[in-house]
Amino acid sequence: MKHVSILLLEQVNLAGLDNARQGLLEANQFLIQQGKEPIFDVQVVGAQKHVHVNKGLFLINSQIQISKVTKTDLIIIPPVQSPLDEALVKNSEFLPWICSQREKGAEIVSLCMGAFILARTGLLDEKDCVTHWKVGEVFKSLFPKVNLVSEKILTDHDGLYTGGGAFSSVNLILYLIEKMISRECAVYCSKIFQVDMGRLSQSPFMIFKGQRNHADELVIQVQQYVETHYTKKLSIQGICDIFSLSRRTFERRFKKATGNSPNGYLQRVRVEAAKKLLEEGYKTVSEIVFEVGYTDMKAFRDVFKKVTGTTPYEYKSKFCSPLLA
């Protein structure tokens, strides 16, 4: 059997912890129904005997403390809740234990914002990683050596696994079940928990908030201008003229501050506006294309799919109320 240690972290997301536990136990049930031995020996492992979460609303008991676990095969790091800086400090006791278990051959899984704990160990340096898209900028600032690939649902690198948002992390659990048991077992579990196994990207769920986590006031003014006038015919040179900047200086400065090119930023703003209109469901895709500043339907479709990973029609079908679609 594989010994699985699901970490009972301070500020743990209870749903994320129990989703992983229930998923692996259901995989065991599938094997038992097939007349086979269960594969996962699942334990909730803590630094302490118990933790209080959600401002004391819940008390969760650990089944064993890390000091008593000398060898484990699979470590699952569930999501932690904000404030993240406090979560990193409060869970620092787990870090050397995780590293020592990795040296002994353990595979390690982080779910959603559990990636912050895994990244703090240094094991993700120079490797791909995903976490919840909402905290992507914070993650990159704390762990610049980690290659954050926000659009993906999961990553798999030599026994280090990371998964996206808290509930989409279930896709990572299904991935592990398929890899460690069988496709048949993963399909069975996906039906039990009613989880779509076909999802490969977080992109359709990402909300673009504008990349303003920087101190360049002039770039912020440009961002505000773009977000106010995106429906009009905007050109990079026209924006440079308005703000009295050379194009080369402007593009370099904008990219440094936001991580996006000016044109890429404009596209993200327009796509985000289009997403909201598609969700409302009152207008056709053709009407929305022109309303957000595009004149070429194909160009809009190409940009929309590049940003969201889906077409405008598929997006509307997924997120618009069936009463309006």
Side-chain angles (χ1 to χ4, degrees):
M1 294 185 75
K2 288 182 178 291
H3 183 266
V4 181
S5 299
I6 303 179
L7 302 189
L8 179 55
L9 304 168
E10 295 285 347
Q11 296 176 213
V12 71
N13 179 301
L14 176 56
L17 183 154
D18 207 46
N19 282 343
R21 190 180 70 89
Q22 294 284 359
L24 298 182
L25 292 179
E26 193 62 48
N28 279 347
Q29 286 301 309
F30 171 85
L31 291 172
I32 291 170
Q33 291 170 20
Q34 299 289 313
K36 301 175 182 177
E37 292 294 320
I39 189 173
F40 298 118
D41 175 17
V42 183
Q43 286 189 309
V44 176
V45 178
Q48 309 297 330
K49 291 184 178 180
H50 56 257
V51 300
H52 290 88
V53 296
N54 291 16
K55 298 181 179 180
L57 184 61
F58 301 106
L59 184 145
I60 312 174
N61 294 307
S62 61
Q63 294 170 279
I64 190 172
Q65 281 73 63
I66 55 173
S67 59
K68 297 179 180 178
V69 180
T70 57
K71 179 72 168 68
T72 191
D73 300 299
L74 182 65
I75 298 170
I76 296 181
I77 307 174
V80 288
Q81 298 175 310
S82 296
L84 291 168
D85 54 346
E86 290 184 13
L88 289 170
V89 172
K90 289 179 179 178
N91 292 295
S92 59
E93 190 173 348
F94 285 98
L95 304 183
W97 181 82
I98 292 171
C99 291
S100 69
Q101 293 300 321
R102 177 63 176 171
E103 290 176 359
K104 296 176 183 178
E107 297 186 286
I108 306 174
V109 178
S110 72
L111 306 177
C112 188
M113 291 192 287
F116 282 77
I117 305 298
L118 181 54
R120 182 64 86 189
T121 66
L123 294 171
L124 286 178
D125 288 356
E126 313 303 331
K127 298 179 179 66
D128 287 353
C129 168
V130 295
T131 185
H132 198 294
W133 58 264
K134 188 176 181 180
V135 294
E137 293 303 314
V138 176
F139 186 92
K140 286 190 286 188
S141 68
L142 287 175
F143 308 109
K145 294 182 180 180
V146 181
N147 181 30
L148 185 65
V149 283
S150 299
E151 71 281 0
K152 291 187 177 181
I153 283 287
L154 60 88
T155 63
D156 174 353
H157 184 91
D158 190 27
L160 294 174
Y161 309 88
T162 65
F167 291 101
S168 66
S169 288
V170 177
N171 290 86
L172 177 52
I173 299 301
L174 292 175
Y175 176 84
L176 293 170
I177 290 170
E178 178 176 357
K179 186 172 183 178
M180 296 178 179
I181 301 178
S182 69
R183 173 74 176 180
E184 183 184 7
C185 182
V187 170
Y188 167 84
C189 291
S190 77
K191 291 179 178 179
I192 292 294
F193 295 109
Q194 299 183 48
V195 177
D196 180 8
M197 290 186 67
R199 288 178 54 203
L200 300 174
S201 173
Q202 292 192 91
S203 296
F205 305 94
M206 297 172 73
I207 301 172
F208 184 67
K209 292 288 189 181
Q211 298 141 323
R212 298 194 187 184
N213 188 26
H214 61 83
D216 194 323
E217 291 296 330
L218 182 60
V219 171
I220 288 176
Q221 291 178 36
V222 174
Q223 291 174 274
Q224 291 171 337
Y225 181 85
V226 169
E227 291 162 16
T228 304
H229 298 88
Y230 68 87
T231 60
K232 297 180 172 58
K233 186 176 181 180
L234 296 179
S235 69
I236 303 305
Q237 188 57 55
I239 294 173
C240 290
D241 293 343
I242 291 170
F243 290 90
S244 302
L245 289 166
S246 72
R247 180 160 183 159
R248 183 176 180 182
T249 298
F250 169 63
E251 291 183 336
R252 177 184 54 78
R253 191 165 166 179
F254 194 95
K255 177 80 172 180
K256 181 180 179 182
T258 69
N260 243 325
S261 68
N263 192 54
Y265 191 86
L266 174 59
Q267 289 177 343
R268 293 294 299 273
V269 169
R270 284 174 167 166
V271 167
E272 193 61 33
K275 285 164 60 180
K276 291 177 181 177
L277 292 170
L278 288 166
E279 291 162 17
E280 291 171 1
Y282 295 110
K283 296 180 179 180
T284 66
V285 172
S286 296
E287 289 172 326
I288 291 170
V289 168
F290 292 106
E291 185 163 333
V292 299
Y294 281 89
T295 56
D296 185 325
M297 175 68 80
K298 183 180 184 304
F300 170 77
R301 284 200 307 265
D302 290 346
V303 169
F304 192 93
K305 188 163 187 178
K306 179 182 177 182
V307 171
T308 69
T310 187
T311 69
Y313 297 98
E314 290 168 343
Y315 186 91
K316 184 175 182 180
S317 175
K318 181 183 291 285
F319 291 106
C320 176
S321 167
L323 299 177
L324 298 172

